[in-house]
Amino acid sequence: MLGPKARDRQFFDAFARHATLCVKGAKKLVELLDNLDAAESLAKEVKQIEHDADTITHDTVKQLHETWITPLDRSDIHDLITHLDDVLDMIEAVSERIALFRVRNGNPLASELARVLLEGCEVLEK
């Protein structure tokens, strides 16, 4: 049988769910940069997405400690899930600061960078 066993699916499913949240967060960041007047409410939405991702990360690390045999090297699983979490942590940090400092003048380069980030997250999700 090819592919991961059912008990191993938990890690791959966690990676997939986290990547989906990265896309969702990156889309919100693009929306925020395109609509700075709504920055505070959009930053709150990003914060909730990041919180949901933190839950996946913590559950995955917990499961990693409780699993005797893993489908990948333990450090690789840990590194992958925490680096995915870092992406959303940075998205949240940017959106939070834009709202906190009440940025109202858009920067085309920041918007372009957010779109590149979104494209990268979409590739990651695939």
Side-chain angles (χ1 to χ4, degrees):
M1 178 172 108
L2 295 177
K5 297 176 184 173
R7 67 180 159 81
D8 295 337
R9 280 284 345 142
Q10 63 196 352
F11 295 110
F12 296 103
D13 290 344
F15 300 148
R17 288 192 325 269
H18 209 301
T20 298
L21 289 176
C22 285
V23 170
K24 192 173 177 182
K27 284 181 180 177
K28 285 294 174 187
L29 181 60
V30 168
E31 183 181 350
L32 186 151
L33 288 167
D34 288 342
N35 186 9
L36 291 171
D37 291 333
E40 288 182 34
S41 65
L42 291 168
K44 287 179 184 176
E45 291 180 42
V46 171
K47 186 174 189 68
Q48 182 59 51
I49 293 166
E50 193 277 332
H51 175 74
D52 295 344
D54 278 346
T55 301
I56 294 170
T57 301
H58 293 140
D59 291 347
T60 303
V61 170
K62 181 179 181 273
Q63 199 64 40
L64 183 61
H65 293 302
E66 295 172 354
T67 303
W68 182 254
I69 298 172
T70 58
L72 303 170
D73 185 76
R74 290 179 179 285
S75 64
D76 290 340
I77 292 171
H78 187 271
D79 288 348
L80 182 54
I81 200 70
T82 55
H83 284 95
L84 283 167
D85 197 54
D86 290 345
V87 172
L88 269 170
D89 287 345
M90 294 297 116
I91 290 171
E92 186 210 4
V94 169
S95 65
E96 184 178 74
R97 282 165 180 79
I98 290 170
L100 178 68
F101 295 118
R102 300 181 194 275
V103 175
R104 294 299 177 251
N105 296 324
N107 181 324
L109 294 176
S111 295
E112 179 61 26
L113 187 57
R115 285 179 178 77
V116 170
L117 172 66
L118 174 56
E119 288 175 22
C121 289
E122 289 170 340
V123 169
L124 179 67
E125 184 182 32
K126 288 179 184 176

